[in-house]
């Protein structure tokens, strides 16, 4: 089943992105929603037309994409309902889809079955290394491994996760890192930074240390908060900024009270002005316990932040310890405190590392990510053996560097 249309000399490839959900907390767009919002307009320039589908009620992520003139459909049958099979099949037929691009467990399960029935290619896209994969999903992945036409891992560590946990054949995996819009996270507006400090009531002599995250256990915000009293012991003129939202918001607030740091801590909630926030920080801390591709790290680097981050997942694939970031072990508040104080007490070191971070981030562009996606789509649609179970990407070089 294929559709071909001509726009001048360009063949249009029709892709349907199927997502379990487009919001992790029900309050804000997920990182995948943001990525799709960046990719889809640029993919149009490569002759790729995209529709987005979510297996959940309308949420902030869906509204985020609709506001950007992206076609979004939804099926609210529940992630285990077999009705998803006919619903996804109907959408793929309606769109004349060439490729089903699948994000999430349920989407990968239903999507691979439907794509195989319709004779179109599928791409299983993994964005993270997960701490716990349910037994039912491990079984589903083993059963569907031969029906995985191509897979995308956002980093080498995620590639290993896909091979050893999700049973994806290694020759079908392509490492395509995410990219960042350097123009958006470039030099900050000093007037906007001054206005932000005034809005938050930050004393003029205070340095700013912050995290931009989701309030979930794997993001490690608890360990950042536990580092705060030690930082204050060395640098008392500090304000901690915590931007984000999620299910652990109230427990984290309670922890800040227990640690007696509420007077110098600001919980900011979801912020739409992240570039300005990053530009205001003296130190950005990323205390994650696990990461697939660390988009928050890349954004901080593009913004010219001095950064302390945990050496987990794809973090060490992007940054270099002591060059453009200071790495610490996960779940180590003492190490976070020591390295943060090091940057605060040595401004020349912080400035040098921030400059190197900007250079590193320049190699990870959204445009480059989109080009690699478009190339993969073109290879997939040039193959005709999908119904027979052969890999349509067998001649492509799998893996490679997780470059944007």
């Amino acid at each position: 089943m294929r559709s071909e249309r001509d726009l001048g000399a360009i063949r249009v490839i029709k892709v349907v992105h199927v997502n379990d959900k487009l919001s992790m907390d029900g309050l804000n767009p997920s990182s995948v929603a943001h990525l799709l919002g960046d990719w889809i307009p640029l993919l149009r320039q490569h002759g790729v037309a995209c529709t987005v589908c979510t297996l959940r009620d309308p949420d902030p992520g869906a509204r985020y994409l609709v506001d950007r003139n992206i076609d979004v459909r939804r099926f609210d049958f529940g992630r285990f309902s077999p009705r998803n099979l006919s619903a996804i099949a109907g959408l793929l037929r309606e769109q004349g889809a060439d490729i089903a691009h699948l994000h999430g467990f349920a989407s990968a399960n239903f999507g691979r079955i439907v794509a195989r029935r319709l004779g179109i290619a599928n791409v299983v896209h993994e964005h993270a290394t997960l701490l716990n994969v349910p037994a039912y999903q491990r079984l589903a992945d083993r059963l569907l491994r031969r029906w995985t036409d191509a897979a995308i891992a956002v980093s080498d560590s995620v590639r290993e996760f896909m091979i050893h946990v999700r049973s994806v054949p290694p020759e079908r995996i392509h490492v395509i890192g995410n990219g960042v819009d350097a123009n958006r996270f470039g030099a900050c507006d000093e007037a906007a930074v001054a206005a932000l400090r005034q809005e938050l009531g930050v004393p003029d002599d205070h340095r700013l240390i912050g995290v931009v995250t989701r309030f979930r256990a794997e993001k490690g915000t608890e360990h950042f908060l536990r580092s705060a009293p030690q930082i204050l012991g060395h640098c008392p003129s500090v304000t901690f900024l915590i931007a984000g939202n999620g299910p652990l918001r109230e427990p984290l607030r309670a922890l800040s009270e227990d640690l007696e740091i509420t007077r110098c801590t600001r919980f900011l909630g979801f912020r739409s002005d992240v570039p300005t926030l990053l530009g205001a920080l003296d130190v950005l801390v990323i205390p994650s316990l696990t990461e697939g591709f660390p988009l928050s790290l890349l954004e901080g680097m593009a913004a010219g932040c001095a950064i302390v981050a945990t050496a987990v997942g794809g973090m060490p694939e992007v940054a270099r310890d002591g060059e453009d970031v200071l790495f610490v072990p996960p779940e180590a508040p003492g190490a976070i405190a020591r390295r943060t104080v090091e940057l605060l007490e040595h401004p020349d070191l912080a400035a040098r590392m921030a400059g190197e971070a900007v250079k590193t981030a320049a190699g990870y562009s959204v445009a480059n990510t989109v080009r690699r996606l478009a190339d993969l789509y073109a290879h997939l649609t040039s193959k005709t053996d999908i119904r027979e179970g052969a890999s349509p990407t067998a001649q492509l070089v799998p893996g490679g560097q997780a470059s944007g």
Side-chain angles (χ1 to χ4, degrees), residues 69-112:
N69 297 314
I70 294 171
D71 184 17
V72 180
R73 312 296 180 87
R74 70 175 181 88
F75 306 122
D76 187 26
F77 302 129
R79 59 179 176 167
F80 297 115
S81 173
R83 295 175 67 185
N84 286 308
L85 290 169
S86 59
I88 294 170
L91 178 60
L92 294 174
R93 289 193 187 98
E94 172 199 317
Q95 295 296 307
D98 298 293
I99 296 169
H101 192 143
L102 312 170
H103 310 261
F105 289 159
S107 296
N109 297 342
F110 292 119
R112 281 181 283 189

Side-chain angles (χ1 to χ4, degrees), residues 31-60:
S31 59
V32 174
H34 283 285
L35 290 171
L36 292 173
D38 288 340
W39 294 345
I40 290 175
L42 293 178
L43 281 168
R44 292 171 186 149
Q45 300 174 21
H46 289 267
V48 179
C50 297
T51 298
V52 177
C53 166
T54 176
L55 306 182
R56 178 176 284 190
D57 259 340
D59 60 27

